[in-house]
Amino acid sequence: ARLGASRHRFIALRRDFPPSAWEPAGSSSAGFVACKNLDLELEPLRILRARVFWAGGILALVGAAIAFSAANLWIHRIDRLRQATLRVRKGDFEARVEATGSDELSVLARAFNDMVKGLKALGLYTDPALARNILESGTMAAQGGTKQVGSVLFCDVAGFTPIAERMAPEDLVLRLNEHFTGLARRVKAEGGYLDKFIGDAVMAYWGPPFIREGDFARRACAAALGFLEEAEALQARWSREGLPAFQLRVGVATGPLVVGNIGSESKKNFTVIGDTVNLSSRQEGANKFYGTRTLVDEETVRR
């Protein structure tokens, strides 16, 4: 039944004459009909249904918002890990990822940080240029060695033995480390490979696979000049502190040499060998005979 714009719910039962059982209304026999409005009884059910509907909608929205926030948080954490990985690939071993909690990403982040710490520790014993080259190429350096053309630089401290005899060992190590730090900075600035420290001497290399442009001779000479600048800067500062200065001798040679991993099965060094290496070392020593600070060979001059 409708009253105005309202809709009401009724239940109707018919009573026949002579009396019989109650039946739903709609028969044509004589009797009377009893009607009852059910709106009042059904109102709690309607309210409950509305509340369930709204509560379900709100819970669905809250669940969707929580799921979106959680997914967004994980995406950001994965992206931070990706960016840190790219930094490590470029040779930045200072990259770290925040690792809080005990979920899978936190475990992965802690493993990543431990790995980078290990790479940084290993980086103290090899030149970062080697690790960077391996990461960029995706392959290890030639195991058996390859013949290349490059430039080799040897640098030594003149009169180092008398200086070492007059200094305490711990002071000597501090001065050497400070001296080597400046030289290593110059090698890196020119894109070279710092092969090794030999006592107070330094050996560096420019050429494939680190430099392929062919200007390795120019780079090696620029580094040699940089070495002398570093020595002069240290000499000026150390003289004010009453410390003996380091006078450098440098030799540069360019030519064919063998580049590769040389050593035993358990330990190898990536280095260069050949006549060009020997010539560079001898030129460094010949500075003492000629009274010079830097000697280069004819091929280096030509290039």
Side-chain angles (χ1 to χ4, degrees):
R2 290 180 179 274
L3 296 178
S6 301
R7 174 177 292 180
H8 299 273
R9 294 174 179 84
F10 294 89
I11 185 171
L13 296 176
R14 176 178 61 80
R15 179 75 172 183
D16 291 336
F17 291 101
S20 62
W22 286 98
E23 296 178 2
S27 169
S28 60
S29 60
F32 68 89
V33 176
C35 296
K36 181 175 177 58
N37 189 340
L38 298 180
D39 286 346
L40 184 62
E41 283 77 5
L42 295 177
E43 183 65 15
L45 181 60
R46 185 188 66 79
I47 295 174
L48 177 61
R49 184 176 64 181
R51 288 178 176 174
V52 169
F53 174 79
W54 286 108
I58 292 173
L59 287 176
L61 289 176
V62 171
I66 293 175
F68 177 80
S69 300
N72 196 47
L73 177 62
W74 275 65
I75 290 173
H76 281 297
R77 293 173 65 188
I78 293 173
D79 187 62
R80 286 196 295 268
L81 184 60
R82 180 187 66 85
Q83 293 178 6
T85 303
L86 293 177
R87 288 175 57 190
V88 172
R89 181 167 186 171
K90 293 179 181 178
D92 179 8
F93 297 141
E94 298 296 332
R96 294 292 184 275
V97 180
E98 182 180 357
T100 58
S102 57
D103 55 78
E104 290 81 358
L105 271 183
S106 297
V107 174
L108 180 60
R110 281 192 286 270
F112 174 85
N113 292 337
D114 292 340
M115 177 195 71
V116 177
K117 289 179 183 177
L119 289 175
K120 183 179 179 180
L122 289 174
L124 295 175
Y125 298 96
T126 185
D127 192 280
L130 178 60
R132 186 165 54 250
N133 179 74
I134 294 174
L135 288 172
E136 290 176 353
S137 64
T139 58
M140 292 294 291
Q143 296 296 317
T146 60
K147 190 173 183 179
Q148 303 286 354
V149 175
S151 296
V152 179
L153 178 151
F154 266 88
C155 175
D156 199 3
V157 177
F160 179 76
T161 300
I163 294 176
E165 291 174 346
R166 297 195 303 268
M167 296 182 67
E170 55 273 17
D171 293 335
L172 180 62
V173 170
L174 289 176
R175 300 302 168 185
L176 274 177
N177 288 343
E178 190 174 5
H179 163 67
F180 286 145
T181 298
L183 303 190
R185 182 169 56 247
R186 295 290 182 157
V187 173
K188 181 180 179 180
E190 295 300 330
Y193 171 61
L194 185 56
D195 189 293
K196 59 176 66 73
F197 297 112
I198 312 169
D200 58 308
V202 175
M203 175 182 169
Y205 164 70
W206 283 262
F210 309 107
I211 298 176
R212 303 183 183 274
E213 299 85 4
D215 62 342
F216 36 79
R218 181 194 62 79
R219 290 173 178 262
C221 290
L225 295 175
F227 279 19
L228 301 180
E229 292 176 0
E230 291 288 340
E232 290 172 357
L234 281 179
Q235 182 178 1
R237 183 158 57 83
W238 287 356
S239 62
R240 293 193 297 269
E241 300 174 6
L243 297 171
F246 286 174
Q247 302 291 338
L248 303 187
R249 295 193 298 255
V250 183
V252 179
T254 301
L257 35 76
V258 177
V259 182
N261 290 303
I262 299 174
S264 67
E265 289 297 326
S266 59
K267 186 179 187 304
K268 295 182 183 296
N269 289 328
F270 185 84
T271 187
V272 294
I273 58 175
D275 288 342
T276 301
V277 179
N278 298 333
L279 178 58
S280 173
S281 176
R282 289 167 182 168
Q283 285 181 156
E284 178 273 313
N287 281 290
K288 183 177 181 180
F289 178 79
Y290 288 105
T292 54
R293 295 195 298 175
T294 306
L295 285 177
V296 301
D297 71 333
E298 183 178 3
E299 182 64 16
T300 300
V301 174
R302 189 183 69 81
R303 288 175 175 265

